[in-house]
Amino acid sequence: WEPTYNEGYSSMTIDDYARSPLCESNWMVRTLVNKMEGPLDGPRDIAIAKEIIRQKCIVGLLDEMDETIRRFHSYFGFENDEALTCALQNFAAAGGLQSNSHKHPKLDPNGSTWEIIEKKNSLDIHLFEYAIELWHEQGQWMKNENML
C-alpha cells in the first residue's frame, strides 16, 4: 500500500486540501534543493533545481507516455522488445491498459482552488515548464545520437 496514504484525506475535497496546511508547497523544488521546511529563495533555488534536472534526469512526460517509454527503453539499453511492448500496453496513454491511472474531476483553471494551489506551488510550476523544454531538447539529442 502507498506509504504516504492518509485516511484523513479521503473525505477532503480538493478545495479543503488546497486551503489546508497539508497542501504541498513546491515539493519537487524543495526535494531537489533539500529544503523541506522554511522559506525558499525563489531565483536561487529554482536555478539549482533546474541544473539538477538538466544534469541528472532523463525527463518523462505523462502527456507523452508512448514517447517517454520509448526514450527510457533506448537510453537505459533495454534490449528486450517484449518489455517495451509490455510497457507500452500497460502504461502508455494511447490505446494501452493504463493500469497506473485514475480518473479525477477536472479543476477549473479560473477558480479559487486552482489559484491557491498555483500560488503554493509556483516554483514547481516553473520547474515543470522547464522540464517540458528539457524533454524536447533531450528528444532532439537522442535523435542526433541515433538513440531513437
Side-chain angles (χ1 to χ4, degrees):
W1 187 251
E2 171 63 43
T4 60
Y5 178 77
N6 182 329
E7 183 69 33
Y9 295 168
S10 66
S11 62
M12 293 178 89
T13 67
I14 188 70
D15 189 64
D16 293 338
Y17 177 74
R19 295 175 189 281
S20 80
L22 301 171
C23 185
E24 296 293 349
S25 170
N26 295 305
W27 180 86
M28 182 56 69
V29 171
R30 287 180 180 281
T31 299
L32 290 169
V33 300
N34 197 25
K35 289 185 181 177
M36 296 311 290
E37 296 181 15
L40 291 170
D41 175 353
R44 182 175 187 278
D45 289 334
I46 194 68
I48 292 168
K50 286 164 98 173
E51 187 62 15
I52 290 168
I53 295 260
R54 188 184 69 74
Q55 287 187 23
K56 305 283 184 180
C57 297
I58 297 295
V59 175
L61 298 176
L62 286 175
D63 289 347
E64 300 285 352
M65 188 56 88
D66 282 14
E67 178 67 15
T68 292
I69 290 171
R70 290 179 199 289
R71 288 182 187 187
F72 290 172
H73 184 80
S74 175
Y75 183 82
F76 293 109
F78 303 139
E79 299 297 326
N80 184 339
D81 287 339
E82 196 173 294
L84 175 60
T85 300
C86 179
L88 288 169
Q89 288 175 342
N90 287 292
F91 299 107
L97 299 174
Q98 299 179 33
S99 62
N100 196 30
S101 67
H102 303 279
K103 299 288 183 209
H104 298 284
K106 296 282 184 190
L107 196 57
D108 178 5
N110 298 312
S112 62
T113 303
W114 182 287
E115 186 179 322
I116 292 165
I117 295 171
E118 183 178 47
K119 185 175 181 181
K120 287 184 177 183
N121 292 283
S122 61
L123 296 179
D124 274 4
I125 291 168
H126 187 77
L127 184 64
F128 176 69
E129 290 166 349
Y130 173 73
I132 292 170
E133 291 174 25
L134 189 55
W135 187 83
H136 290 289
E137 290 175 18
Q138 289 175 347
Q140 190 58 55
W141 169 77
M142 291 181 84
K143 285 176 186 164
N144 291 345
E145 296 295 318
N146 295 317
M147 297 174 80
L148 292 177

